[in-house]
Amino acid sequence: MIHFDSIVKHYPLEAGFFAREEHKVFAVNGVDFRVEPGEIYGLVGESGCGKTTTARLLVRMERLTGGNILFRSRDGREFRLAGIGRADLAALRSRVRYVFQDPARSLNPRLSIREVLLSGYRYSPRWPGRSRAEEEARSLIQEVGLSVGDLDRRPADFSGGQRQRISIARALITQPEVLICDEVVSALDVSIQGQILNLLLRLREERGLTMIFIAHDLAVVGYVSDRIGVMYRGVLVEEAPARTLMANRRHPYTQYLFESLPVLRTDGESHRRRGDPALRATFSRRADATENPVSDATFLEMDEPEPGHRVSRIFSDAPRR
Ligand SMILES: Nc1ncnc2c1ncn2[C@@H]1O[C@H](COP(=O)(O)OP(=O)(O)OP(=O)(O)O)[C@@H](O)[C@H]1O
Ligand SMILES: [Mg+2]
């Protein structure tokens, strides 16, 4: 179980000569949600709304400005990210692994795939020995749909989708419980996207993985997620089981996001729905927050109109339909 407990992350704005203390980016501004063991939790929202920052805080690639993150691992060990020590952090990072959007940049082109996979052990406090590690690499490369012969090749020999499979295999080598998938299909063609999403779903079934699946595309998130959290300007504006959210969107921002989904036409061209002009006028501003919308902590409390469906009061004054 992971509890993002009212987490806050502020960054200083571009440090100019006149920059003052209060000039900040409110990247994550009091976000609170839980991810249960074995579920795929989708985080969706436009560029800059704070999805990556939320995920990076979990593995301490960023430090919290406020709040805390609790991770209770399956063996009962508890980790609290605020003030976590080195040994605990190493143990956490082998249990929670991060898969990035761009495998071309995250895979060292000089390494063989075998070396790439074994480099995943860097995030583990435990090295199992060369022969055990190689055995694991052989089994993993097949588990993600490639072959043992591919271990001797280099990243440049593979397509984008295959490289993403390799990144996933590298993340799995420490036998993690949690996989953070940050825009892992965003750079891929639609047909390849489906294959990678199905691979993730299969891995979840076979390994009982918990996933935090991040994307700006609501259709992609809706396809894989059990539950979805919608972020806008550093705030969680709505959370619900995926089906509920797709069928019964309550926050006007979720409605806006849904209306801006591309609609596929039979001729293969896609176009954007035009959507409600009032929603567009309200939400077409940048998704990142340089002004603090949260003037009062009670504002962060979410309404729960039905069990498991939470809706924020922030940014909710746009017309509802
Ligand atoms: N290291 C940093 N220094 C300053 N500002 C940052 C830093 N990292 C992120 N930000 C800002 O924090 C906000 C949230 O960024 P974040 O990367 O979490 O958004 P995101 O939802 O992942 O967006 P995207 O879909 O583009 O990946 C943005 O305004 C971003 O510019
Ligand atoms: Mg991001």
Side-chain angles (χ1 to χ4, degrees):
M1 193 278 301
I2 306 161
H3 181 195
F4 293 85
D5 184 359
S6 305
I7 60 166
V8 174
K9 178 64 185 181
H10 298 165
Y11 292 108
L13 257 187
E14 253 340 63
F17 187 73
F18 294 106
R20 297 202 311 267
E21 172 59 21
E22 64 267 33
H23 289 168
K24 308 181 235 205
V25 179
F26 297 87
V28 178
N29 210 7
V31 164
D32 198 299
F33 65 98
R34 288 164 196 267
V35 180
E36 301 299 335
E39 83 168 331
I40 302 185
Y41 190 97
L43 260 190
V44 68
E46 291 166 292
S47 185
C49 70
K51 308 178 296 294
T52 296
T53 303
T54 298
R56 286 167 61 95
L57 287 165
L58 170 58
V59 287
R60 217 354 162 78
M61 288 160 74
E62 301 289 346
R63 281 167 193 256
L64 288 157
T65 305
N68 208 340
I69 303 174
L70 167 71
F71 168 51
R72 190 179 301 119
S73 92
R74 288 225 164 99
D75 56 12
R77 192 160 162 182
E78 291 202 352
F79 302 85
R80 282 185 173 73
L81 268 292
I84 193 171
R86 265 169 169 266
D88 275 354
L89 188 58
L92 174 123
R93 283 179 173 162
S94 72
R95 289 167 167 80
V96 182
R97 300 287 289 116
Y98 206 117
V99 184
F100 300 94
Q101 167 168 7
D102 187 358
R105 275 173 49 200
S106 68
L107 300 181
N108 184 334
R110 289 190 299 273
L111 298 184
S112 69
I113 303 308
R114 173 180 291 99
E115 292 162 323
V116 165
L117 297 194
L118 296 189
S119 74
Y121 278 112
R122 198 175 348 138
Y123 301 96
S124 173
R126 171 193 68 90
W127 166 249
R130 185 82 195 179
S131 68
R132 180 79 194 82
E134 294 222 2
E135 193 182 307
E136 186 66 11
R138 282 193 295 275
S139 137
L140 268 174
I141 198 74
Q142 297 175 83
E143 190 175 344
V144 300
L146 298 171
S147 68
V148 172
D150 289 329
L151 290 172
D152 296 312
R153 299 165 72 193
R154 277 165 215 276
D157 297 332
F158 296 90
S159 68
Q162 289 171 325
R163 281 202 285 258
Q164 203 50 280
R165 290 174 191 269
I166 293 163
S167 301
I168 292 165
R170 176 179 58 182
L172 291 175
I173 204 144
T174 60
Q175 311 279 1
E177 305 177 25
V178 181
L179 220 51
I180 300 168
C181 301
D182 192 351
E183 303 277 8
V184 292
V185 300
S186 310
L188 303 174
D189 288 347
V190 174
S191 59
I192 310 294
Q193 285 190 352
Q195 296 172 12
I196 300 296
L197 297 177
N198 289 335
L199 169 65
L200 291 174
L201 288 170
R202 176 164 61 77
L203 290 171
R204 188 267 292 265
E205 285 308 311
E206 291 171 0
R207 293 176 166 255
L209 286 166
T210 305
M211 295 191 196
I212 297 176
F213 184 91
I214 297 172
H216 58 270
D217 183 336
L218 187 54
V220 166
V221 172
Y223 180 72
V224 291
S225 305
D226 300 307
R227 288 192 301 140
I228 297 177
V230 181
M231 285 185 74
Y232 178 63
R233 294 168 66 92
V235 174
L236 188 72
V237 295
E238 184 161 3
E239 177 191 73
R243 263 187 223 162
T244 308
L245 192 87
M246 301 307 270
N248 187 12
R249 303 167 292 278
R250 288 184 182 260
H251 195 282
Y253 177 73
T254 313
Q255 183 64 31
Y256 167 78
L257 200 61
F258 188 84
E259 287 184 356
S260 56
L261 279 180
V263 182
L264 276 177
R265 293 198 314 231
T266 44
D267 59 8
E269 290 290 297
S270 72
H271 68 92
R272 300 230 157 234
R273 293 178 219 227
R274 289 193 18 255
D276 182 326
L279 288 177
R280 210 166 51 235
T282 309
F283 294 115
S284 59
R285 37 201 310 227
R286 287 175 59 100
D288 57 2
T290 53
E291 68 208 64
N292 185 358
V294 183
S295 52
D296 171 357
T298 60
F299 230 159
L300 286 174
E301 288 169 16
M302 294 171 85
D303 295 325
E304 194 163 349
E306 53 198 316
H309 193 164
R310 297 194 296 147
V311 188
S312 168
R313 296 173 202 171
I314 304 176
F315 306 120
S316 62
D317 43 4
R320 292 186 196 215
R321 292 193 300 171

